[in-house]
Amino acid sequence: MANVTLRNVRKTYTGGFEAIKGVNVDVADGQFCVLVGPSGCGKSTLLRMVAGLETVTGGEIDIGGRVVNQIEPADRDIAMVFQNYALYPHMSVYNNMAYGLRNRGMAEAEIKTRVEEAARVLELSAMLERKPRQLSGGQRQRVAMGRAIVRQPKVFLFDEPLSNLDAKLRIAMRVEIRKLQRRLNTTSIYVTHDQLEAMTLADVLVVMNGGQVEQVGNPLAIYEKPATTFVASFIGAPPMNLMSTRPEEIKSQLGGAAGEAGIVGIRPEDFAITDQTPAGGVALPLTVEAIERVGAETFVYGSREQEDQRVAATPGELPPGEVIVRIPGTEAPAIGQKIRVAAVRAKLHLFSGDGRKRIEA
Ligand SMILES: Nc1ncnc2c1ncn2[C@@H]1O[C@H](COP(=O)(O)OP(=O)(O)O)[C@@H](O)[C@H]1O
Ligand SMILES: [Mg+2]
């Protein structure tokens, strides 16, 4: 087992594109760290640098107290699980798991012990003689995990390992991966673009954007206090409502608290349909545009009377003037109906006008 520390890590690809612009992350021994962010933000690049599959342009990667920048992948004591599994199609499950160990010259008896133990943990014992094509997607993914487990590495690296699975299996495997990691207690770095996967798996969540870290921390702490509007709209689904504090309807409620041109954020679940105006909170008149009933709750999409002035657009964000409200149950207003929604002061998130800074009121 080992800690992993990234110190001011940078990556410029040949051609001059700067994919990683100075990243600092500290993963303690045994922790599960998740790198989350939109496609192209540099997650795989960073993970591949930890694995030794990409050269490091600047900074240091430290695994277990040893700087590994110049160390070959095979000597880093890591095991990586990829999205596409990368199994050998002509080899049995057993041989797929044994292959890497044989390459290292391990004795067959020890290999057998390790493969059988991994197969037991992953519930693959009955399938050791099958070829990958005779397995389901979920079983193939488990073989890929088994191949990493038998190595008994200091660190597991996962690059979107569940992306090829259907939604239901993805959730089941997510729970399995977490249980397994808790049991083995192996330091892990897991890459995903799926914020829900990230929230549920991480001890430490690293939210990335454009080759940089936006925020690092406990997932729920990040949900409760996003540091930037990017994080605010990326973490949580449906996304947080973000509005300029400039329009009169909001400014009058917030008073001067948000400054002249700040951004106010309100999570869909923090709005209630009500005629009351909570002191210091926000109340908005809306026209109901769409209703989505998803079973236990309902999403109400409304449009605001006033055009939103805000500048910085971030992924996952609602179009200007659109507000989403999340209410429990299935009872909802009718489309076209005029409603009023309100959020209490304690539920407001305030940000600077450029969205780069959270303001604690
Ligand atoms: N070998 C490469 N050469 C040049 N640019 C690359 C290379 N690999 C990735 N990139 C670029 O680096 C950025 C980050 O890529 P990547 O790490 O794969 O993102 P993610 O895994 O977050 O989707 C992207 O803009 C991508 O196009
Ligand atoms: Mg990737």
Side-chain angles (χ1 to χ4, degrees), residues 38-45 48 83 159-160 191-193:
S39 180
C41 73
K43 305 179 295 294
S44 295
T45 300
R48 290 169 59 80
Q83 174 180 349
D159 195 349
E160 312 236 11
V191 160
T192 180
H193 64 273

Side-chain angles (χ1 to χ4, degrees), residues 65-257:
R66 176 175 71 141
V67 174
V68 296
N69 289 35
Q70 306 300 331
I71 309 272
E72 288 296 313
D75 300 324
R76 290 191 185 196
D77 225 346
I78 49 102
M80 190 151 167
V81 181
F82 298 92
Q83 174 180 349
N84 60 9
Y85 322 142
L87 300 179
Y88 300 108
H90 58 285
M91 283 186 201
S92 67
V93 168
Y94 183 99
N95 286 333
N96 262 286
M97 288 203 252
Y99 185 78
L101 303 182
R102 285 193 184 123
N103 267 355
R104 277 149 200 268
M106 188 179 284
E108 279 300 323
E110 172 67 10
I111 291 176
K112 187 162 182 291
T113 308
R114 288 195 185 192
V115 171
E116 283 176 354
E117 167 62 10
R120 196 181 57 71
V121 169
L122 294 164
E123 292 175 30
L124 289 169
S125 302
M127 295 162 208
L128 285 172
E129 294 316 312
R130 290 201 201 168
K131 299 279 168 59
R133 65 167 186 281
Q134 298 168 304
L135 301 175
S136 70
Q139 289 163 343
R140 278 179 218 167
Q141 185 53 49
R142 291 206 302 254
V143 177
M145 302 254 303
R147 209 170 35 179
I149 290 171
V150 295
R151 299 264 306 279
Q152 301 182 354
K154 280 191 188 148
V155 181
F156 287 128
L157 304 176
F158 299 92
D159 195 349
E160 312 236 11
L162 306 184
S163 300
N164 286 350
L165 305 178
D166 64 60
K168 221 170 192 160
L169 194 53
R170 210 154 60 215
I171 296 170
M173 284 300 294
R174 186 171 88 204
V175 176
E176 286 310 311
I177 287 181
R178 194 59 179 125
K179 281 203 295 205
L180 194 66
Q181 195 271 343
R182 286 228 164 87
R183 232 179 88 189
L184 301 174
N185 208 24
T186 305
T187 312
S188 300
I189 305 180
Y190 186 106
V191 160
T192 180
H193 64 273
D194 180 335
Q195 61 89 27
L196 188 59
E197 208 170 285
M199 285 292 290
T200 51
L201 282 172
D203 295 318
V204 196
L205 186 58
V206 179
V207 185
M208 290 181 63
N209 179 26
Q212 284 172 312
V213 172
E214 287 270 327
Q215 193 170 3
V216 182
N218 168 278
L220 285 179
I222 290 179
Y223 188 84
E224 277 157 21
K225 287 186 187 245
T228 63
T229 51
F230 176 85
V231 177
S233 57
F234 192 79
I235 299 293
M240 185 187 282
N241 297 290
L242 293 170
M243 296 163 271
S244 163
T245 55
R246 223 195 274 272
E248 283 314 311
E249 56 184 6
I250 295 176
K251 204 171 149 193
S252 58
Q253 300 300 326
L254 282 174

